[in-house]
């Protein structure tokens, strides 16, 4: 009989967000009239920017005509999009990134998991705790860990605690690590990394020949001056970092699917015989073998994000979500609960009232207030006793959620 990949048996039974969905479904099946407000998974609620819709329509019409029809596109993405990204997201911030270093894909979640294909099994991995669960789960899947301990931590990984005490900014690891996942603005805490903090990580990576896997999916939510939007704003990062970005939270593409990964040509890693090999060509090989590119209309829609009107529309939608975040943050704080994040990110991170465990608070909030959030412990053991609320919602629901929350506590 065929054998499975036994590493999958080490994973928690369900991925975090489907597990939340399962519990909410059980509740709504039993309480069909309850008006449940969902602030769990960070999924956008506002429609696509009109500039993106217009580009989608136009590109679709091109596909209806033989002379402008397109089949397979370049696996790495069309030049029009790669150039727009390089110019607007990087060169405008004085980051030395060119179009050929950008790989367009159908999502950062996929890229963050798939990137492990090109790194050896014996790398030591450091991961923030709490953080987006995909980093841990994909390392479990490829066999880099043992079986989880009672607190959910996997032997074989180096955890970087992000706590209230360290301002959710982890210390450097005390041992030498090879791959370091950093997520800023952070999911789930909604906090950001200062230039000094990122400089410390880049210096560590350069000194230890490590590679930083920098997830900047929420970059567009940075409102405070002086906070780096890209790891490449830090000198030396071209030699030690890969950056993941997405149009999902920036422009409402969670259902449309478009993202990109930046791999500078200067980034090197060692082969088994100790010589250096560039990572860019490996990822290019992987991408061309396992991926056939994002659809043409979707790439045209993504390009429209950088047009004058597209940029304005995107900015206004982000401002709308950030206003929701402010309402949540202030309203929950008024209820006497400690809150973090929500200024440079669409997530509010709160300390559970009465020191409840994260999942116990989830159940209480769902049953009593018909509100759905995400238990902090689902993001790592340091998230126990915390809870995440997403600001992706209508204004009406946000105001109603604050009201219900205040009545609960
Ligand atoms: C989240 O809620 O953490 C995100 O929506 C998940 C994702 O982007 O995959």
């Amino acid at each position: 009989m065929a054998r499975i990949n036994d590493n999958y048996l080490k994973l928690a039974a369900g991925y975090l967000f489907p597990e939340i969905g399962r519990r909410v479904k059980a509740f709504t099946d039993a309480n069909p009239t309850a008006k449940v407000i969902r602030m769990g998974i960070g999924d956008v609620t506002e429609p696509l920017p009109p500039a993106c819709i217009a580009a989608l329509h136009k590109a679709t019409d091109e596909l209806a005509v033989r002379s402008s029809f397109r089949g397979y596109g370049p696996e790495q993405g069309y030049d029009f999009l790669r150039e727009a990204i390089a110019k607007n997201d990087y060169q405008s911030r004085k980051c030395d990134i060119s179009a050929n270093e950008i790989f367009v894909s159908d999502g950062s979640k996929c890229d963050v998991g798939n990137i492990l294909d090109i790194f050896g099994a014996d790398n030591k991995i450091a991961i923030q705790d709490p953080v987006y669960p995909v980093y841990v789960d994909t390392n479990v899947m490829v066999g880099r860990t043992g079986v989880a301990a009672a607190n959910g931590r996997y032997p074989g990984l180096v955890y970087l605690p992000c706590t209230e005490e360290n301002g959710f900014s982890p210390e450097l690891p005390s041992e030498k690590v090879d791959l370091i996942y950093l997520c800023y603005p952070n999911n789930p805490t909604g906090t950001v990394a200062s230039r000094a903090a990122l400089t410390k990580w880049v210096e560590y990576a350069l000194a230890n020949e490590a590679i930083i896997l920098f997830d900047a999916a929420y970059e567009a939510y940075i409102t405070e001056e002086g906070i780096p939007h890209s790891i490449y704003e830090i000198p030396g990062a071209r030699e030690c970092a890969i950056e993941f970005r997405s149009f999902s939270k920036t422009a409402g593409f969670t259902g449309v699917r478009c993202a990109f990964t930046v791999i500078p040509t200067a980034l090197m890693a060692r082969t088994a015989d100790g010589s250096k090999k560039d990572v860019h060509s490996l990822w290019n090989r992987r991408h061309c073998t396992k991926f056939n590119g994002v659809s043409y209309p979707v790439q045209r829609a993504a390009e429209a994000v950088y047009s004058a009107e597209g940029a304005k529309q995107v900015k206004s939608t982000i401002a709308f979500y950030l206003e929701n975040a402010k309402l949540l943050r202030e309203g929950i704080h008024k209820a006497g609960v400690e809150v973090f994040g929500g200024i440079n990110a669409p997530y509010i991170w709160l300390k559970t009232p009465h020191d409840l465990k994260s999942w116990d608070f989830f159940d209480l909030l769902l049953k009593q207030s018909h509100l759905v959030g995400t238990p902090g412990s689902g993001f790592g053991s340091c998230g126990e006793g915390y809870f995440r609320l997403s600001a992706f919602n209508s204004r009406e629901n946000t105001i109603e959620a604050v009201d219900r929350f205040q009545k609960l506590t």
Side-chain angles (χ1 to χ4, degrees), residues 15 17 40-43 109 132-134 187 218 249 347 374 379 388:
Y15 180 59
F17 296 107
I41 189 164
D43 194 4
K109 182 186 194 174
Y132 185 40
V134 171
N187 179 8
Y218 298 94
K249 314 299 158 84
Y347 296 127
T374 308
F379 298 99
R388 193 193 78 175

Side-chain angles (χ1 to χ4, degrees), residues 154-221:
Y154 289 93
L157 297 178
V158 174
Y159 289 90
L160 306 169
C162 300
T163 61
E164 220 175 307
E165 291 70 40
N166 63 22
F168 303 103
S169 181
E171 306 297 322
L172 293 173
S174 47
E175 59 198 288
K176 187 176 168 341
V177 298
D178 306 301
L179 295 176
I180 305 157
Y181 289 84
L182 293 179
C183 176
Y184 286 112
N186 185 259
N187 179 8
T189 65
T191 54
V192 282
S194 65
R195 188 169 300 276
L198 290 185
T199 301
K200 178 183 86 172
W201 283 104
V202 166
E203 284 170 357
Y204 173 92
L206 291 172
N208 291 279
E209 295 197 334
I211 291 179
I212 297 171
L213 302 173
F214 192 76
D215 185 348
Y218 298 94
E219 165 277 332
Y221 289 79

